[in-house]
Amino acid sequence: MSVAVDGFPSREELRRSPGYPSEERLDRGACAVIECVQEIPCNPCETVCPYGAIKVGQPITNLPRLDAELCKGCGLCLAVCPGQAIFLVDKAFAPGEALVGFPYEYVPLPAAGERVPATNRAGEVVAEGRVIRVVNSSRNDRTPVVFLAVPLEVADEVRSMERRGQKPRPGQGE
Amino acid sequence: MTRSDVTIIGAGPAGLAAAIEAARAGAKVVLVDENARPGGQLFKQIHKFFGSREHFAGTRGIDLARKLCQEAQELGVQLVLDTAAFAIYDGRIVAGTTPKGTVQIESERIILATGAMENTFSFKGWTKPGVMGAGAAQTMINLHRVLPGSRILMVGSGNVGLIVTYQLLQAGADVVAVIEALPKIGGYAVHAAKVRRAGVPILTSHTVLEAKGEPEVSSAVICQLDDFKPVAGTEREVEVDTVCLAVGLTPLAELAWMAGCQCEYLPALGGFVPVHDERMETTVKGIFVAGDVTGVEEASTAIEEGRLAGIAAAASLGLLSPDEAEERMTAAWERLAALRMGPFGEGRQAAKEQLMKVGKAG
Amino acid sequence: MRVLDHPILGRLEARRKVTITVDGQPVEAFEGEPILAALLAKGIRVNRITKKRHEPRGLFCGIGRCTDCVMVVNGVPNVRTCVTPVAEGMTVETQQGLGKWGKAK
């Protein structure tokens, strides 16, 4: 299992990366989870963080380093990351339930209260999620962030939801 | 005949940036493009760009295109659209063909920013309607708002293949798989992760053997590869109506060849590219290059090279003092260096250095 | 198949419509869009039949470079449909081989 073959980072690759918070920090509440494990020239996450919790520095190919103690879980970095590689995980959301936030640039968007199939990094449905809110302000610049409540045991797995875009067929939409 | 200080061929990111810099320095600039509107491929780039703030990171290509077009217009750049440049005479006259006939533009300096075109590769049935370049599909969905098909096989997992896969999903199509001949994914992991999350498998060490269907594609046969050789018995037929080819780009260096610019073959840059120096000037004095024509990279690097060429062309006409030009070019080179670092950039950086070394030796 | 709603580009704006004739059938198109886009919106993907082997061809590069999508437009063969905008009353025909010159409009 590796990002170069699977297309998404393995558990081990994530644990090794400087953007992944500790288990202990995640248990305490909302925190950014940065799944950026490849040195590409990019640093908007560093620029946007109002708390200085993300450091890229020079050169800008450095992997983002998360200071999880400074992270307030505001989620601003989720929409700004051009790679959509940052998520929000709150394992103290409710008893037995975690909150997972992820960028979701598809239509139609879900609405708060809806129940949707929550998917993992491979796009497989792993649980049912309850939509808590969808943030899509002008600051998001058309990258909506969906927050799902999911069973606590899948909090480290859920990273998106099943796409609901209808599949057009010839002749449709005329 | 139209006359200008600087004529730029190609109004994509490199050409626009060159036009902006040259015009800002006070040059009379003519910007020629074969399309009906400027922007090149940027208007298809609906995703947010990488980089840092000075590279417009986080800005979508479409928004960047609007910004650059507006800036060029405000600076008085003269746009000559619907005009395909087909020749350069005497190193100073650009000839173009338009729906109304031919035009000639005479200028002191020429900047070639002609970009690149998609590669293809042949397999059984590859000429059938439904097999197309990934860029062609991207043009249809993002520019013209029509889907070229609804079930798609993407061939190639470089950034173009991954980005267009994502954008096909956004446009409402299904991508059944991305296949890649190499044993590992070619593009950025973050792009791969986006399409994986959306449920699209990426099959490494796979290729397409055949596109089937009459008269148009209704399925494709794919198979596993072992050291680039098909593994017998692994053939699979997948039901798709479209096969997109994302197998790299080749610089459009024809005009440079015609003008007598020395070209070098550098695979890391996509093939034959015009040799240039640190001022983006080719081996033909007065002809400069910028962007994908001198090495297939990204829009962000094309913009920086365009700036360099625009500044250098203006400076060579005495419109900028050597100090001013030096200062602006140093800043652009620093921004370029940042974009050419890391595992994806360093190969291009090395190839570019080699290209410029040839330029010096020549 | 038009992309009616899009997460980044928004809803497809209503534009003035024109009617073109494709192989004798009326086809509605949006003013200013390439002929090829209007055809794809209807699910039409074959633009021409080659001269020697009589094979179908369609969209390949989409930017006016490869000439695979050429058709006979208003009686003129070899018109690149991916970069030629539609116009009211335009006639478009599937090109056979190198195409036959017809009555220009």
Side-chain angles (χ1 to χ4, degrees):
Chain A
M1 296 283 283
S2 84
V3 70
V5 177
D6 301 307
F8 56 85
S10 66
R11 272 289 175 88
E12 290 63 40
E13 284 170 321
L14 287 173
R15 283 213 188 93
R16 275 202 306 270
S17 92
Y20 210 85
S22 68
E23 288 300 323
E24 182 270 329
R25 172 63 186 85
L26 286 171
D27 287 340
R28 267 191 279 141
C31 186
V33 171
I34 307 178
E35 305 199 352
C36 178
V37 301
Q38 212 175 40
E39 293 170 322
I40 57 175
C42 195
N43 70 2
C45 53
E46 176 178 38
T47 320
V48 80
C49 180
Y51 307 106
I54 306 176
K55 283 273 173 292
V56 175
Q58 289 295 334
I60 60 167
T61 42
N62 288 341
L63 292 182
R65 178 169 294 280
L66 176 74
D67 186 338
E69 294 309 312
L70 297 178
C71 177
K72 303 257 191 284
C74 72
L76 281 178
C77 50
L78 271 70
V80 89
C81 170
Q84 297 180 20
I86 310 183
F87 306 88
L88 193 93
V89 175
D90 180 359
K91 291 191 182 181
F93 178 66
E97 245 186 354
L99 186 73
V100 178
F102 51 85
Y104 185 81
E105 284 184 340
Y106 300 101
V107 284
L109 282 174
E114 266 184 77
R115 290 178 186 273
V116 297
T119 55
N120 63 11
R121 296 179 186 87
E124 298 153 346
V125 177
V126 290
E128 185 183 68
R130 198 170 80 253
V131 180
I132 300 301
R133 61 180 182 276
V134 179
V135 178
N136 193 16
S137 73
S138 60
R139 272 190 92 151
N140 289 53
D141 185 19
R142 293 157 283 172
T143 304
V145 176
V146 173
F147 290 89
L148 292 186
V150 296
L152 191 57
E153 59 271 22
V154 292
D156 294 330
E157 294 304 315
V158 170
R159 289 298 177 264
S160 193
M161 56 176 269
E162 210 168 59
R163 275 181 309 125
R164 309 186 308 161
Q166 61 179 101
K167 290 149 192 84
R169 296 279 173 251
Q172 212 173 39
E174 293 309 316
Chain B
M1 185 166 355
T2 309
R3 279 171 215 283
S4 75
D5 295 330
V6 180
T7 295
I8 300 164
I9 304 172
L16 281 166
I20 289 165
E21 290 302 330
R24 188 178 284 148
K28 181 178 186 299
V29 178
V30 169
L31 182 54
V32 182
D33 197 281
E34 63 182 339
N35 295 293
R37 70 165 172 168
Q41 309 308 308
L42 273 180
F43 279 104
K44 303 161 195 181
Q45 314 292 326
I46 61 170
H47 54 280
K48 293 178 177 173
F49 282 5
F50 296 100
S52 62
R53 197 171 268 170
E54 57 267 29
H55 306 112
F56 309 104
T59 305
R60 297 181 189 275
I62 31 167
D63 299 325
L64 189 51
R66 286 191 197 105
K67 183 181 156 5
L68 293 173
C69 290
Q70 192 189 340
E71 218 174 326
Q73 200 185 355
E74 283 167 3
L75 287 163
V77 171
Q78 187 190 342
L79 282 167
V80 177
L81 299 169
D82 284 316
T83 302
F86 65 84
I88 294 171
Y89 299 114
D90 301 334
R92 52 187 288 124
I93 297 171
V94 173
T97 174
T98 79
K100 290 179 190 139
T102 57
V103 291
Q104 289 183 46
I105 304 154
E106 185 175 12
S107 50
E108 302 298 320
R109 301 288 181 267
I110 294 170
I111 300 174
L112 301 175
T114 44
M117 73 178 287
E118 290 195 279
N119 295 340
T120 184
F121 84 105
S122 59
F123 51 93
K124 199 174 172 194
W126 75 288
T127 55
K128 286 182 198 295
V131 180
M132 65 191 70
Q138 190 184 36
T139 303
M140 292 306 135
I141 52 175
N142 294 346
L143 212 53
H144 304 314
R145 299 288 296 258
V146 290
L147 279 164
S150 52
R151 278 178 67 81
I152 290 145
L153 173 70
M154 180 65 65
V155 182
S157 73
N159 279 339
V160 172
L162 296 173
I163 289 170
V164 176
T165 294
Y166 179 60
Q167 293 177 354
L168 282 161
L169 300 175
Q170 289 184 304
D174 262 348
V175 181
V176 299
V178 177
I179 61 172
E180 168 61 56
L182 290 166
K184 67 185 196 73
I185 294 166
Y188 286 178
V190 289
H191 286 315
K194 266 191 300 189
V195 306
R196 291 291 280 122
R197 280 207 290 285
V200 180
I202 302 177
L203 309 175
T204 52
S205 298
H206 270 75
T207 195
V208 59
L209 293 174
E210 183 179 0
K212 288 182 160 183
E214 289 301 334
E216 45 191 281
V217 176
S218 56
S219 71
V221 180
I222 62 173
C223 79
Q224 263 184 49
L225 293 173
D226 180 22
D227 198 20
F228 296 101
K229 286 186 230 11
V231 179
T234 62
E235 298 85 0
R236 258 199 290 169
E237 191 166 343
V238 288
E239 195 194 311
V240 291
D241 58 22
T242 302
V243 179
C244 285
L245 308 178
V247 290
L249 296 137
T250 297
L252 286 169
E254 297 96 328
L255 285 170
W257 281 111
M258 284 176 78
C261 304
Q262 185 191 340
C263 291
E264 278 293 308
Y265 186 78
L266 290 169
L269 298 177
F272 277 103
V273 288
V275 169
H276 62 78
D277 62 13
E278 277 90 355
R279 307 170 70 78
M280 304 311 292
E281 194 166 14
T282 66
T283 53
V284 175
K285 222 174 158 36
I287 300 185
F288 298 75
V289 282
D292 276 2
V293 65
T294 178
V296 174
E297 294 189 84
E298 312 271 339
S300 45
T301 47
I303 288 172
E304 297 305 342
E305 286 200 342
R307 284 183 174 147
L308 284 170
I311 295 163
S316 72
L317 291 169
L319 294 167
L320 283 173
S321 75
D323 285 352
E324 267 177 301
E326 193 57 40
E327 192 185 317
R328 291 187 201 180
M329 290 180 73
T330 304
W333 273 113
E334 278 167 11
R335 290 190 297 268
L336 263 178
L339 294 172
R340 288 177 180 155
M341 272 188 248
F344 287 88
E346 55 201 17
R348 288 182 279 121
Q349 174 70 27
K352 275 284 177 185
E353 279 166 17
Q354 199 185 332
L355 193 64
M356 287 189 281
K357 215 154 103 190
V358 177
K360 266 184 205 144
Chain C
M1 292 162 275
R2 296 210 184 265
V3 181
L4 298 178
D5 198 3
H6 193 284
I8 313 302
L9 300 168
R11 287 204 166 275
L12 188 61
E13 282 168 41
R15 282 149 69 188
R16 231 171 72 98
K17 283 185 176 169
V18 297
T19 304
I20 61 173
T21 306
V22 181
D23 290 333
Q25 298 298 312
V27 168
E28 263 196 350
F30 286 129
E31 188 172 48
E33 74 179 342
I35 298 166
L36 186 85
L39 299 182
L40 286 177
K42 285 283 173 202
I44 302 170
R45 299 205 301 176
V46 177
N47 302 122
R48 68 181 178 106
I49 307 293
T50 60
K51 185 178 162 65
K52 277 191 183 166
R53 297 186 187 171
H54 311 288
E55 291 171 351
R57 294 284 190 274
L59 161 67
F60 193 77
C61 82
I63 51 170
R65 209 152 260 289
C66 76
T67 68
D68 245 10
C69 69
V70 298
M71 297 177 85
V72 181
V73 176
N74 287 343
V76 179
N78 301 314
V79 173
R80 298 172 300 170
T81 57
C82 68
V83 290
T84 306
V86 294
E88 180 62 45
M90 185 180 253
T91 62
V92 177
E93 294 158 89
T94 303
Q95 180 165 322
Q96 305 292 332
L98 302 178
K100 279 207 178 72
W101 287 80
K103 223 186 253 173
K105 272 209 156 181

